[in-house]
Amino acid sequence: MAEAGDNERHDAIDALMEESRTFPPSEDFKANALVVGTYLYDEAAEDDEAFWARQSADLLDWAEPWDTILDWELPYSKWFTGGKLNVSYNCLDRHVLAGRGDRVAFHWEGEPGDTRTITYGDLLDEVCQFSNVLKDLGVERGDRVNIYLPMIPEAAVAMLACARIGAAHSVVFGGFSAQSLADRINDAEAKVLVTADGSYRRGSVFPLKPAADEACTNAPSIEHVVVVKRGGNDVEWVEGRDKWYHDLIDGASTECPAEPMDSEQLLFLLYTSGTTGKPKGIMHTTGGYLTHVTYTHKYVFDLHPESDVFWCTADVGWITGHSYIVYGPLSNGATQVMYEGVPNHPGNDRFWEIVEKYGVTIFYTAPTAIRTFMKWGATEPAKHDLSSLRLLGTVGEPINPEAWMWYQEHIGGGRCPIVDTWWQTETGGIMISPLPGATTTKPGSATFPLPGVSSELIDDEGKRVDVGGGYLTLTRPWPGMLRGIWGDPERYLETYWSRFEGRYFAGDGAKLDDDGYLWLLGRVDDVMNVSGHRISTTEVESALVSHPAVAEAAVVGAADATTGQAIIAYVILRGGQDVDVESLRSHVAGEIGAIAKPKMIFITPDLPKTRSGKIMRRLLRDVAEGRNIGDTTTLADESIVDELRARAAISTDD
Ligand code: WTA
């Protein structure tokens, strides 16, 4: 890893433009901002544990107070031990009890244009009903429930219902294949699967139930499948196992007490790609996680819950959806937009139409989306009145300064601060980001760690870097940190804590400029970031070699102007086999999901390897990105590079 990682890091540092534009918060924005100046930073710097404790006490309702703020035995942290609280109570009941039951929780917009308005009161009732349903299906505290749903309100209902009764949810993104779903169900040994018949995508119904059915044939732990009717498509039905959501809800009581849970009760598992083929079940617990996401959602987005309309465009199947559609915003009593479909149906201005329609004030999306909007042109947002917007955010991958500037000008009308938020599935919530009323931003920089967060760049020897490039590490525990990898403590230790003594290593490279601003440079390991989605090269390689015609495969992430990175595969076929590239791409989609489909596959007679037999990925990436290849003397067979380049040239001509 070190060799490829270093090269990648230096390439990225070289490629980074000198960026000298700065954007201080405007007087207008500061006038109503929650945080102006440095007081939060100062407080946290004095005593970070006391700082987090104050946030937790101020922002959450605890049923029983904690004894200990932090119990830290590297690499395991426990937060607020002895304390009890219920996440669903904090997200719902307390708002309703305070007389805000009529406030809109979700303006939900279906892709075909149908809508639902769901108040906090409505949401509480439905969550209680579904909690009772889950209990009737035999779900108990500590059990796992799998959720495989489109972007419909029932996804949030199902998650909150699990939280209410102390079952952990494991949400699997609807774009994952049956195989990926089965792997995740089996790893978590979930009892119940919540899915839908299908949902709307790009103007037609995208069926989900067939994949859920197929997954269940290989997932013996599933006792019940609850099916939300959304697409209206025909579905197969397994009597005894399958039940319609609406039938179960109908008649279920809206009374379900929110039982206080231990602060360290498992709240959810969320699977993410690592550097091996097997996804990791990242564990998040109750009190610390909710503190972290409530605090970051409030201050990073400068939330004024009585007047703001917040829209995070992520899917609930990813951590961004967990933390900034479900838990953070609902805990803060925010009003949100939730949208089912794609940004270009029926037209390329769908997002801007939605912003105008609901008066969205805070908009949070991914750089890959922004680059796509740039491609579609500034005339699309210009068709709509976007003057309600007052703050913009990005997440998921580094944002290039040009995309940042375009976002600022064409979406933000030059008046909205941008918060570029760095964090990970593992961190639970935002770690590095501006505070919009307090931080002078630079396009492309995530700026500084938030109050309460401690990060450090270090070099290969583990020495601190104050200016220049290095590895991003976190030096102090934080409340939203992962509590481990489900069923695999060894891997937890190995993945995050073994590279640098006593530090959490995030897998990202970064640069510190002369002013102390952090510039994230992307992964330094074998994890690709495609449209903000993490996919490991090994995962795609295993999918490819599981095809009967494939002997060997090497996968790299190559720079791509829209998706950040694109998956490029080099494949050696088994003797005498012939297969077309399209069927290999479909095979990968079937194994993992459409998001992992390689953009290009090159069939090659050989792969560049070192004399010791290691595939030279760096070289493959150079070829894929059309760079000049330097020293190839360590290659076992130098002629293979010319061969690969010739093939790459042919494909670019296509
Ligand atoms: C990348 C998504 C640069 C990074 C919340 C990280 C970013 C991985 C940023 C985590 C950002 C996320 N700037 N890179 N603002 N935000 N990343 O687990 O490589 O899906 O390690 O969590 O995304 O991806 P994950």
Side-chain angles (χ1 to χ4, degrees), residues 44 48-49 51-53 56 69-80 263-264 282-293 295-296 319 323-324 422-432 449-456 472-484 492 496-497 502-507:
D48 59 353
E49 290 181 34
F51 172 80
W52 285 116
S56 193
I69 301 172
L70 170 64
D71 172 354
W72 175 225
E73 268 183 61
L74 194 131
Y76 291 101
S77 79
K78 292 183 186 156
W79 285 83
F80 311 119
S263 181
E264 283 297 332
I282 302 298
M283 297 163 68
H284 283 291
T285 59
T286 298
Y289 172 80
L290 195 64
T291 301
H292 191 140
V293 297
Y295 156 76
T296 48
I319 191 68
S323 299
Y324 300 106
W422 178 90
W423 57 294
Q424 307 178 295
T425 304
E426 293 87 342
T427 68
I430 299 170
M431 301 294 280
I432 298 173
L450 288 176
V453 173
S454 304
S455 71
E456 230 169 55
L472 179 63
T473 64
L474 301 169
T475 54
R476 290 278 296 146
W478 62 99
M481 74 185 278
L482 75 167
R483 300 303 197 259
Y492 173 60
Y496 304 105
W497 302 92
R503 295 163 182 272
Y504 172 90
F505 173 47

Coordinates of all heavy atoms in Angstrom, one line a residue, residues 44 48-49 51-53 56 69-80 263-264 282-293 295-296 319 323-324 422-432 449-456 472-484 492 496-497 502-507:
A44 N -13.8 24.4 23.3 CA -13.4 23.0 23.0 C -11.9 22.8 23.3 O -11.5 21.7 23.7 CB -13.8 22.6 21.6
D48 N -11.9 19.2 25.7 CA -12.8 18.7 24.7 C -13.9 17.8 25.3 O -15.0 17.8 24.8 CB -12.1 18.0 23.5 CG -11.2 16.8 23.9 OD1 -11.0 16.6 25.1 OD2 -10.6 16.1 23.0
E49 N -13.5 17.0 26.3 CA -14.6 16.1 26.9 C -15.7 16.9 27.5 O -16.9 16.7 27.3 CB -14.0 15.2 27.9 CG -13.1 14.1 27.3 CD -12.5 13.2 28.3 OE1 -13.1 12.9 29.3 OE2 -11.3 12.7 28.1
F51 N -16.5 19.9 26.7 CA -17.2 20.5 25.6 C -18.3 19.6 25.0 O -19.4 20.0 24.9 CB -16.2 20.9 24.5 CG -16.8 21.4 23.2 CD1 -17.3 22.7 23.1 CD2 -17.0 20.5 22.1 CE1 -17.9 23.2 22.0 CE2 -17.6 21.0 21.0 CZ -18.1 22.3 20.9
W52 N -17.9 18.3 24.8 CA -18.9 17.4 24.2 C -20.0 17.1 25.2 O -21.2 17.0 24.8 CB -18.2 16.1 23.8 CG -17.4 16.2 22.5 CD1 -16.1 16.0 22.4 CD2 -17.9 16.4 21.2 NE1 -15.7 16.1 21.1 CE2 -16.8 16.4 20.3 CE3 -19.2 16.7 20.7 CZ2 -16.9 16.6 19.0 CZ3 -19.3 16.9 19.3 CH2 -18.2 16.8 18.5
A53 N -19.6 17.1 26.5 CA -20.6 16.9 27.5 C -21.7 18.0 27.5 O -22.9 17.8 27.6 CB -20.0 16.7 28.9
S56 N -23.9 17.7 24.6 CA -24.9 16.6 24.7 C -26.0 17.0 25.7 O -27.2 16.8 25.4 CB -24.2 15.3 25.2 OG -25.1 14.2 25.1
I69 N -18.2 10.8 31.2 CA -18.3 11.4 29.8 C -17.6 10.4 28.8 O -18.2 10.1 27.8 CB -17.6 12.7 29.7 CG1 -18.2 13.7 30.7 CG2 -17.7 13.3 28.3 CD1 -17.5 15.0 30.9
L70 N -16.4 10.1 29.1 CA -15.7 9.3 28.1 C -14.9 8.2 28.8 O -14.1 8.4 29.7 CB -14.7 10.2 27.3 CG -13.7 9.5 26.4 CD1 -14.4 8.7 25.3 CD2 -12.7 10.5 25.8
D71 N -15.0 7.0 28.3 CA -14.2 5.9 28.8 C -13.4 5.4 27.5 O -13.9 4.9 26.6 CB -15.2 4.8 29.2 CG -14.6 3.5 29.5 OD1 -13.3 3.4 29.3 OD2 -15.3 2.6 30.0
W72 N -12.1 5.8 27.6 CA -11.3 5.6 26.4 C -10.2 4.6 26.6 O -9.2 4.9 27.4 CB -10.7 7.0 26.0 CG -9.7 7.1 24.9 CD1 -8.6 7.8 24.9 CD2 -9.8 6.6 23.6 NE1 -7.9 7.8 23.7 CE2 -8.7 7.0 22.9 CE3 -10.8 5.8 22.9 CZ2 -8.4 6.6 21.5 CZ3 -10.5 5.4 21.6 CH2 -9.4 5.8 20.9
E73 N -10.3 3.5 26.0 CA -9.3 2.5 26.0 C -8.9 2.2 24.6 O -9.6 1.4 23.9 CB -9.7 1.2 26.7 CG -9.4 1.3 28.2 CD -9.8 0.0 28.9 OE1 -9.3 -1.1 28.5 OE2 -10.7 0.0 29.7
L74 N -7.9 2.9 24.1 CA -7.6 2.8 22.7 C -7.6 1.4 22.2 O -7.0 0.6 22.8 CB -6.2 3.5 22.5 CG -5.7 3.8 21.1 CD1 -5.2 5.2 21.1 CD2 -4.7 2.8 20.6
P75 N -8.2 1.1 21.1 CA -9.0 1.9 20.2 C -10.5 2.0 20.4 O -11.2 2.2 19.5 CB -8.7 1.3 18.8 CG -8.7 -0.2 19.2 CD -8.2 -0.3 20.6
Y76 N -10.9 1.7 21.6 CA -12.4 1.6 21.9 C -12.8 2.8 22.8 O -12.2 3.0 23.8 CB -12.8 0.3 22.5 CG -12.6 -0.8 21.6 CD1 -11.6 -1.7 21.7 CD2 -13.6 -1.1 20.6 CE1 -11.4 -2.8 20.8 CE2 -13.5 -2.1 19.7 CZ -12.4 -3.0 19.8 OH -12.3 -4.0 18.9
S77 N -13.8 3.5 22.3 CA -14.3 4.6 23.2 C -15.8 4.3 23.5 O -16.5 3.6 22.8 CB -14.3 5.9 22.4 OG -15.3 6.1 21.5
K78 N -16.1 4.7 24.8 CA -17.5 4.6 25.2 C -17.8 6.0 25.7 O -17.0 6.6 26.4 CB -17.7 3.6 26.3 CG -17.5 2.2 25.9 CD -17.8 1.3 27.1 CE -17.4 -0.1 26.8 NZ -17.2 -0.9 28.0
W79 N -19.0 6.5 25.2 CA -19.4 7.9 25.6 C -20.6 7.9 26.5 O -21.6 7.1 26.2 CB -19.6 8.7 24.4 CG -18.3 9.1 23.7 CD1 -17.6 8.4 22.8 CD2 -17.6 10.3 23.8 NE1 -16.5 9.0 22.4 CE2 -16.5 10.3 23.0 CE3 -17.8 11.5 24.6 CZ2 -15.5 11.3 22.9 CZ3 -16.9 12.5 24.5 CH2 -15.8 12.4 23.7
F80 N -20.6 8.7 27.5 CA -21.7 9.0 28.3 C -22.2 7.7 29.0 O -23.5 7.4 29.0 CB -22.8 9.7 27.5 CG -22.3 10.9 26.7 CD1 -22.4 10.9 25.4 CD2 -21.7 12.0 27.4 CE1 -21.9 12.0 24.7 CE2 -21.2 13.1 26.7 CZ -21.3 13.1 25.3
S263 N -26.6 4.4 26.7 CA -25.9 5.2 25.8 C -25.1 4.4 24.7 O -25.0 4.8 23.6 CB -24.9 6.2 26.5 OG -24.3 7.0 25.7
E264 N -24.6 3.3 25.1 CA -23.8 2.5 24.2 C -24.5 1.4 23.5 O -24.0 0.5 22.9 CB -22.5 1.9 24.9 CG -21.4 3.0 25.1 CD -20.9 3.6 23.8 OE1 -20.9 2.9 22.8 OE2 -20.4 4.7 23.8
I282 N -19.9 -1.3 9.9 CA -19.4 -0.2 10.8 C -20.5 0.0 11.9 O -21.7 0.1 11.6 CB -19.2 1.1 10.1 CG1 -18.2 1.0 8.9 CG2 -18.8 2.3 11.0 CD1 -16.8 0.6 9.4
M283 N -20.0 -0.1 13.2 CA -21.0 0.0 14.3 C -21.1 1.4 14.9 O -20.1 2.0 15.2 CB -20.5 -1.0 15.4 CG -20.4 -2.4 15.0 SD -19.4 -3.4 16.1 CE -20.4 -3.3 17.6
H284 N -22.3 1.8 15.0 CA -22.6 3.1 15.7 C -23.6 2.9 16.8 O -24.5 2.1 16.7 CB -23.1 4.2 14.7 CG -22.0 4.7 13.8 ND1 -21.0 5.5 14.3 CD2 -21.7 4.6 12.5 CE1 -20.2 5.9 13.4 NE2 -20.6 5.3 12.2
T285 N -23.3 3.6 17.9 CA -24.2 3.5 19.1 C -25.0 4.7 19.3 O -25.1 5.6 18.5 CB -23.3 3.0 20.3 OG1 -22.4 4.0 20.6 CG2 -22.6 1.7 20.1
T286 N -25.6 4.8 20.5 CA -26.7 5.7 20.7 C -26.3 7.1 21.2 O -26.5 8.1 20.4 CB -27.7 5.0 21.7 OG1 -28.1 3.8 21.1 CG2 -28.9 5.9 22.1
G287 N -25.9 7.3 22.4 CA -25.7 8.6 22.9 C -24.6 9.5 22.3 O -24.9 10.7 22.0
G288 N -23.5 8.9 22.0 CA -22.4 9.7 21.4 C -22.7 10.0 20.0 O -22.6 11.2 19.5
Y289 N -23.2 9.1 19.2 CA -23.6 9.3 17.8 C -24.6 10.5 17.7 O -24.5 11.4 16.9 CB -24.1 8.1 17.2 CG -24.7 8.3 15.8 CD1 -23.9 8.4 14.7 CD2 -26.1 8.4 15.6 CE1 -24.4 8.6 13.4 CE2 -26.6 8.6 14.3 CZ -25.7 8.7 13.2 OH -26.3 9.0 12.0
L290 N -25.7 10.4 18.5 CA -26.8 11.4 18.4 C -26.2 12.8 18.8 O -26.6 13.8 18.2 CB -28.0 11.0 19.3 CG -29.2 11.8 18.9 CD1 -29.7 11.5 17.5 CD2 -30.4 11.5 19.9
T291 N -25.3 12.8 19.8 CA -24.7 14.1 20.2 C -24.0 14.7 19.0 O -24.1 15.8 18.7 CB -23.7 13.8 21.4 OG1 -24.4 13.3 22.5 CG2 -23.1 15.1 21.8
H292 N -23.2 13.8 18.4 CA -22.3 14.3 17.3 C -23.1 14.8 16.1 O -22.9 15.9 15.6 CB -21.4 13.1 16.9 CG -20.3 13.6 16.0 ND1 -19.0 13.1 16.1 CD2 -20.3 14.4 14.9 CE1 -18.3 13.6 15.1 NE2 -19.0 14.5 14.4
V293 N -24.1 14.0 15.7 CA -24.9 14.5 14.5 C -25.8 15.7 14.8 O -26.0 16.5 14.0 CB -25.6 13.3 13.8 CG1 -24.7 12.3 13.3 CG2 -26.7 12.7 14.7
Y295 N -25.2 18.1 17.1 CA -24.3 19.2 17.2 C -23.8 19.7 15.8 O -23.9 20.9 15.5 CB -23.1 18.8 18.1 CG -21.9 19.6 17.9 CD1 -21.7 20.9 18.4 CD2 -20.8 19.0 17.3 CE1 -20.5 21.6 18.3 CE2 -19.6 19.7 17.1 CZ -19.5 21.0 17.6 OH -18.3 21.7 17.4
T296 N -23.3 18.7 15.0 CA -22.8 19.2 13.7 C -23.9 19.7 12.8 O -23.7 20.7 12.1 CB -22.0 18.0 13.0 OG1 -22.8 16.8 13.0 CG2 -20.7 17.7 13.7
I319 N -24.2 6.8 4.7 CA -24.1 7.5 6.0 C -24.6 8.9 6.0 O -25.2 9.4 7.0 CB -22.6 7.4 6.6 CG1 -22.5 7.9 8.0 CG2 -21.7 8.3 5.7 CD1 -23.2 6.9 9.0
S323 N -27.1 10.3 8.9 CA -26.8 11.4 9.8 C -27.4 12.7 9.5 O -27.7 13.5 10.4 CB -25.2 11.6 9.9 OG -24.6 10.3 10.3
Y324 N -27.6 13.0 8.2 CA -28.1 14.3 7.8 C -29.5 14.3 7.1 O -29.8 15.3 6.5 CB -27.0 15.2 7.2 CG -25.9 15.3 8.1 CD1 -24.7 14.6 7.9 CD2 -26.0 16.1 9.3 CE1 -23.6 14.6 8.8 CE2 -24.9 16.1 10.2 CZ -23.8 15.4 9.9 OH -22.7 15.5 10.9
W422 N -15.8 17.4 5.5 CA -15.1 16.1 5.4 C -15.5 15.2 6.6 O -15.5 15.6 7.7 CB -13.6 16.3 5.4 CG -12.9 15.0 5.4 CD1 -12.5 14.3 4.2 CD2 -12.5 14.1 6.5 NE1 -12.0 13.1 4.6 CE2 -11.9 13.0 6.0 CE3 -12.7 14.3 7.9 CZ2 -11.5 11.9 6.8 CZ3 -12.2 13.2 8.7 CH2 -11.6 12.1 8.1
W423 N -15.9 14.0 6.2 CA -16.1 13.0 7.2 C -16.3 11.6 6.6 O -16.0 11.5 5.4 CB -17.3 13.3 8.1 CG -18.6 13.5 7.4 CD1 -18.9 14.5 6.5 CD2 -19.8 12.7 7.5 NE1 -20.2 14.4 6.1 CE2 -20.8 13.3 6.7 CE3 -20.2 11.6 8.2 CZ2 -22.1 12.8 6.5 CZ3 -21.4 11.1 8.1 CH2 -22.4 11.7 7.3
Q424 N -16.6 10.6 7.3 CA -16.7 9.2 6.8 C -17.8 8.4 7.5 O -18.2 8.8 8.6 CB -15.3 8.5 7.1 CG -14.1 9.2 6.7 CD -12.9 8.4 7.1 OE1 -12.6 8.3 8.3 NE2 -12.1 7.9 6.1
T425 N -18.1 7.3 6.9 CA -19.0 6.4 7.5 C -18.6 6.1 9.0 O -19.3 6.1 9.9 CB -19.1 5.1 6.7 OG1 -19.5 5.4 5.4 CG2 -20.1 4.1 7.3
E426 N -17.3 6.0 9.1 CA -16.7 5.6 10.4 C -16.7 6.7 11.4 O -16.8 6.5 12.6 CB -15.2 5.2 10.2 CG -15.0 3.9 9.4 CD -14.9 4.1 7.9 OE1 -15.4 5.2 7.4 OE2 -14.4 3.2 7.2
T427 N -16.7 8.0 10.9 CA -16.7 9.1 11.9 C -18.1 9.4 12.4 O -18.3 10.1 13.4 CB -16.0 10.4 11.3 OG1 -16.8 10.9 10.3 CG2 -14.6 10.1 10.8
G428 N -19.1 8.9 11.7 CA -20.5 9.1 12.1 C -21.1 10.5 11.7 O -22.2 10.6 11.3
G429 N -20.3 11.5 11.9 CA -20.7 12.8 11.6 C -19.6 13.7 11.1 O -18.4 13.2 11.0
I430 N -19.9 14.9 10.7 CA -18.9 15.8 10.1 C -17.7 16.1 11.1 O -18.0 16.3 12.3 CB -19.6 17.2 9.7 CG1 -20.7 16.9 8.7 CG2 -18.6 18.2 9.2 CD1 -21.6 18.1 8.4
M431 N -16.5 16.1 10.6 CA -15.3 16.3 11.4 C -14.6 17.6 11.0 O -14.1 18.3 11.9 CB -14.4 15.1 11.2 CG -15.0 13.8 11.6 SD -15.3 13.6 13.3 CE -13.7 13.2 13.9
I432 N -14.4 17.8 9.7 CA -13.7 18.9 9.3 C -14.6 19.8 8.4 O -15.1 19.2 7.4 CB -12.4 18.5 8.5 CG1 -11.5 17.7 9.4 CG2 -11.7 19.7 7.9 CD1 -10.3 17.0 8.7
P449 N -10.6 21.5 11.5 CA -11.4 20.6 12.3 C -12.5 21.4 13.1 O -12.2 22.5 13.5 CB -10.4 19.9 13.2 CG -9.1 20.3 12.8 CD -9.2 21.4 11.8
L450 N -13.6 20.8 13.3 CA -14.7 21.5 14.0 C -14.3 21.5 15.5 O -13.4 20.7 16.0 CB -16.0 20.7 13.9 CG -16.7 20.7 12.6 CD1 -17.9 19.8 12.6 CD2 -17.1 22.2 12.3
P451 N -14.8 22.5 16.3 CA -14.6 22.5 17.7 C -14.9 21.1 18.3 O -15.9 20.5 18.0 CB -15.6 23.5 18.2 CG -15.9 24.4 17.1 CD -15.8 23.5 15.8
G452 N -14.0 20.6 19.1 CA -14.1 19.2 19.7 C -13.4 18.1 18.9 O -13.3 17.0 19.4
V453 N -12.9 18.5 17.7 CA -12.3 17.5 16.8 C -10.8 17.8 16.7 O -10.4 18.9 16.5 CB -12.9 17.5 15.4 CG1 -12.1 16.5 14.5 CG2 -14.4 17.0 15.5
S454 N -10.0 16.8 16.9 CA -8.5 17.0 16.8 C -7.9 16.1 15.6 O -8.0 14.9 15.7 CB -7.8 16.6 18.1 OG -8.4 17.3 19.2
S455 N -7.3 16.8 14.7 CA -6.7 16.1 13.6 C -5.3 16.5 13.4 O -4.9 17.6 13.9 CB -7.5 16.3 12.3 OG -7.2 17.6 11.8
E456 N -4.5 15.7 12.8 CA -3.1 16.0 12.5 C -2.7 15.3 11.2 O -3.0 14.2 11.0 CB -2.2 15.5 13.7 CG -1.3 16.5 14.3 CD -0.7 16.0 15.6 OE1 0.0 14.9 15.6 OE2 -0.8 16.7 16.6
L472 N -3.9 12.0 6.8 CA -4.8 12.6 7.7 C -5.1 11.6 8.9 O -5.5 10.5 8.6 CB -6.1 13.0 7.0 CG -7.2 13.6 8.0 CD1 -6.8 14.9 8.6 CD2 -8.5 13.8 7.2
T473 N -4.8 12.0 10.1 CA -5.1 11.2 11.2 C -6.0 12.0 12.3 O -5.9 13.2 12.3 CB -3.8 10.7 12.0 OG1 -3.1 11.8 12.5 CG2 -2.9 10.0 11.0
L474 N -6.7 11.2 13.1 CA -7.5 11.8 14.2 C -6.8 11.4 15.5 O -6.5 10.2 15.7 CB -8.9 11.4 14.1 CG -9.6 11.8 12.7 CD1 -10.9 11.1 12.5 CD2 -9.7 13.3 12.6
T475 N -6.6 12.4 16.3 CA -5.7 12.1 17.5 C -6.5 12.0 18.8 O -5.9 11.6 19.8 CB -4.7 13.3 17.6 OG1 -5.4 14.5 17.7 CG2 -3.8 13.3 16.5
R476 N -7.8 12.4 18.8 CA -8.6 12.3 20.0 C -9.9 11.6 19.7 O -10.4 11.7 18.6 CB -8.9 13.6 20.6 CG -7.7 14.4 21.1 CD -7.4 13.9 22.6 NE -8.5 14.3 23.5 CZ -8.8 13.5 24.5 NH1 -8.2 12.3 24.8 NH2 -9.8 13.9 25.3
P477 N -10.4 10.8 20.6 CA -11.7 10.2 20.3 C -12.8 11.2 20.2 O -12.7 12.3 20.7 CB -12.0 9.3 21.6 CG -11.1 9.8 22.6 CD -9.9 10.4 21.9
W478 N -13.9 10.9 19.5 CA -15.0 11.9 19.3 C -16.3 11.1 19.5 O -16.3 9.8 19.2 CB -14.9 12.6 17.9 CG -15.0 11.6 16.8 CD1 -16.1 11.3 16.0 CD2 -14.0 10.8 16.2 NE1 -15.8 10.4 15.0 CE2 -14.5 10.0 15.2 CE3 -12.6 10.6 16.6 CZ2 -13.8 9.1 14.4 CZ3 -11.9 9.6 15.8 CH2 -12.5 8.9 14.7
P479 N -17.4 11.7 19.9 CA -18.6 10.9 20.3 C -19.2 10.1 19.2 O -19.7 9.0 19.5 CB -19.6 12.0 20.7 CG -18.9 13.3 20.7 CD -17.5 13.1 20.1
G480 N -19.1 10.5 17.9 CA -19.7 9.7 16.8 C -18.8 8.7 16.2 O -19.2 8.1 15.2
M481 N -17.7 8.4 16.8 CA -16.7 7.5 16.2 C -17.3 6.1 16.2 O -18.1 5.7 17.1 CB -15.4 7.5 16.9 CG -15.3 6.9 18.2 SD -13.6 7.1 19.0 CE -12.7 5.8 18.2
L482 N -16.9 5.3 15.2 CA -17.3 3.9 15.1 C -16.9 3.2 16.4 O -15.8 3.5 16.9 CB -16.8 3.3 13.9 CG -15.3 2.9 13.8 CD1 -15.1 1.9 12.6 CD2 -14.4 4.0 13.7
R483 N -17.7 2.2 16.7 CA -17.3 1.4 17.9 C -16.7 0.1 17.5 O -16.4 -0.7 18.4 CB -18.6 1.2 18.8 CG -19.3 2.5 19.3 CD -18.4 3.3 20.1 NE -19.1 4.3 20.9 CZ -19.2 5.6 20.6 NH1 -18.7 6.1 19.5 NH2 -19.9 6.4 21.3
G484 N -16.5 -0.1 16.2 CA -15.8 -1.3 15.8 C -16.4 -1.8 14.5 O -17.2 -1.1 13.9
Y492 N -10.8 -4.3 12.7 CA -11.0 -2.9 13.2 C -9.6 -2.3 13.6 O -9.2 -1.3 13.2 CB -12.0 -2.9 14.4 CG -12.1 -1.6 15.1 CD1 -12.5 -0.4 14.4 CD2 -11.7 -1.5 16.5 CE1 -12.6 0.8 15.1 CE2 -11.8 -0.3 17.1 CZ -12.3 0.9 16.4 OH -12.3 2.1 17.1
Y496 N -7.7 0.6 11.1 CA -7.7 2.0 11.5 C -6.6 2.4 12.4 O -6.3 3.6 12.6 CB -9.1 2.4 12.1 CG -10.3 2.1 11.2 CD1 -11.1 1.0 11.4 CD2 -10.5 2.9 10.1 CE1 -12.2 0.7 10.6 CE2 -11.6 2.6 9.2 CZ -12.4 1.5 9.5 OH -13.4 1.3 8.7
W497 N -6.1 1.4 13.1 CA -5.2 1.8 14.3 C -3.8 1.2 14.2 O -3.0 1.5 15.0 CB -5.8 1.3 15.6 CG -7.2 1.9 15.8 CD1 -8.4 1.4 15.4 CD2 -7.5 3.2 16.3 NE1 -9.4 2.3 15.7 CE2 -8.9 3.4 16.3 CE3 -6.7 4.3 16.9 CZ2 -9.5 4.5 16.8 CZ3 -7.4 5.4 17.3 CH2 -8.7 5.5 17.3
G502 N -1.3 4.8 18.0 CA -2.1 5.7 18.9 C -3.1 6.6 18.1 O -3.7 7.5 18.7
R503 N -3.1 6.5 16.8 CA -3.9 7.4 16.0 C -4.9 6.6 15.1 O -4.6 5.5 14.6 CB -3.0 8.2 15.0 CG -2.1 9.1 15.6 CD -1.0 9.4 14.6 NE 0.0 10.3 15.2 CZ -0.1 11.6 15.2 NH1 -1.1 12.2 14.7 NH2 0.8 12.3 15.8
Y504 N -6.0 7.3 14.9 CA -7.0 6.8 13.9 C -6.5 7.3 12.5 O -6.4 8.5 12.3 CB -8.4 7.3 14.2 CG -9.4 7.0 13.1 CD1 -10.2 5.8 13.2 CD2 -9.6 7.9 12.0 CE1 -11.1 5.6 12.2 CE2 -10.5 7.6 11.0 CZ -11.3 6.4 11.1 OH -12.2 6.2 10.1
F505 N -6.2 6.4 11.6 CA -5.9 6.8 10.3 C -7.1 6.6 9.3 O -7.6 5.5 9.2 CB -4.7 5.9 9.8 CG -4.3 6.2 8.3 CD1 -4.2 7.5 7.8 CD2 -4.1 5.1 7.5 CE1 -3.9 7.7 6.5 CE2 -3.8 5.3 6.1 CZ -3.7 6.6 5.7
A506 N -7.4 7.7 8.7 CA -8.7 7.8 7.9 C -8.6 7.2 6.5 O -9.6 7.0 5.9 CB -9.1 9.3 7.9
G507 N -7.3 7.0 6.0 CA -7.2 6.5 4.7 C -7.1 7.6 3.6 O -7.0 7.4 2.5

